[in-house]
Amino acid sequence: MTRKIAVLPGDGIGPEIMDQAVKVLKALGEDFEMEFADVGGVAYAHHGHPLPQATLDLAKAADAVLFGAVGDFKYDHLERALRPEQAILGLRKALGLFANLRPAKCFAELTQASTLRPEFVSGLDILIVRELTGDIYFGTPRGRRQAPDGHFPGALEAFDTMRYTVPEIERIAHVAFEAARKRGRKVTSVDKANVLETSQLWRDTVTEVAKNYPDVTLEHMYVDNAAMQLVRAPKALDVVLTGNIFGDILSDEASMLTGSIGMLASASLNDKKQGLYEPSHGSAPDIAGKNIANPLATILSAAMMLRYSFDMNEEADRIEAAVQKVLSEGIRTGDIMSEGCRKVSCSEMGDAVVAALG
Ligand code: IPM
Ligand code: MG
């Protein structure tokens, strides 16, 4: 069975890290059909839009999308609708990718890279389940107007709308509880129910859904407390379930516990198991083209693709074991370099993973 993958390298370090993931996928010797397309700033430069129709059509027709990174300072002056980030938001919306899985796992070999003391992070294994197509990101109305009331009536104001419906909360909660069943059987649902209506509905709904999972422990946590617990006692967390904006913020915080954002993969899934897979880090334009970026997050994202969209668990295990092997052999890109290890380039790291596939 041929699996069709839309490969969207994007901007900055996107193309070089994507080359390594493609190399690893090819080395598996499976039947993948990979088709490349422009996305982000490079797509704007070539086609006048960060998410050209042809790219969107390709993504929709594919079984999965492998995404590099988008964004570059040179596009910061563009109006919002044409900025590179709109490509990822547009893909999430168009494909209905409501479930964002962001694992934050601390590899034993890399505990030194964390800014927290090793005893707080060694063995850390958190899965953030972030709702990705609702909330203040997509809620309407939004815009600018003359303030109708408030502290400065008549002044120019801007507004966004935080919104969630019960079915939106239910479906992401199910994803979190199902995931918890395969892990530590604990869900921490994060909200701001002491202040926000949206969050109170979130909390009530998650509590209802939890009744279907008596074998999973549910706790509720306010988002400010969650931000604190992530650095105070992160190992007490297993699955963290949260909305779009809180998940955006907390997943960056969680990534840093592991020491290197260059190691973290992510998956965004819809209800047809079609998914978009991308490293959690950005396009890092300052180091683009230098062949020094860490491709492991992209390679691990490809492994997630095999696991979640293609049911190819064995091949996913092979890639993850190869990454583990490379780390235990002391092979490192600059971002995770430590004493006594061997520093390699981005492409050498890709080669090392291919060699370790065995
Ligand atoms: C992320 C990013 C995006 C988001 C941006 C690029 C729109 O920060 O995937 O976390 O806010 O969701
Ligand atoms: Mg973010």
Side-chain angles (χ1 to χ4, degrees), residues 85 88-89 92 102 130 137 248 278:
E85 293 78 9
I88 186 73
L89 295 173
R92 287 172 185 170
R102 296 193 163 177
R130 168 191 176 194
Y137 270 61
D248 177 46
E278 58 174 329

Side-chain angles (χ1 to χ4, degrees), residues 101 103 105 125-127 129 173-187 213 215-217 238-239 269 273 304 306-309 311-313 317 320:
L101 310 182
K105 198 174 160 186
D125 185 2
I126 298 174
L127 177 67
V129 177
H174 282 293
V175 171
F177 283 104
E178 295 289 348
R181 277 195 166 152
K182 296 186 193 143
R183 303 168 38 99
R185 294 180 181 270
K186 182 175 162 193
V187 170
Y213 303 88
D215 51 324
V216 178
T217 307
D238 176 22
V239 174
L269 308 172
K273 278 186 27 181
M304 282 187 99
L306 301 183
R307 199 181 293 290
Y308 289 98
S309 283
D311 276 324
M312 296 172 72
N313 286 315
D317 287 345
E320 285 164 4

Side-chain angles (χ1 to χ4, degrees), residues 103-114 116 118 120-126 235 254-260 263-264 324 327:
K105 198 174 160 186
C106 197
F107 287 84
E109 290 82 359
L110 301 181
T111 45
Q112 298 299 332
S114 175
L116 293 195
F120 285 96
V121 293
S122 75
L124 177 94
D125 185 2
I126 298 174
K235 284 199 271 183
S255 74
M256 262 301 114
L257 302 174
T258 71
S260 174
M263 297 297 301
L264 298 180
Q324 185 63 60
L327 292 177

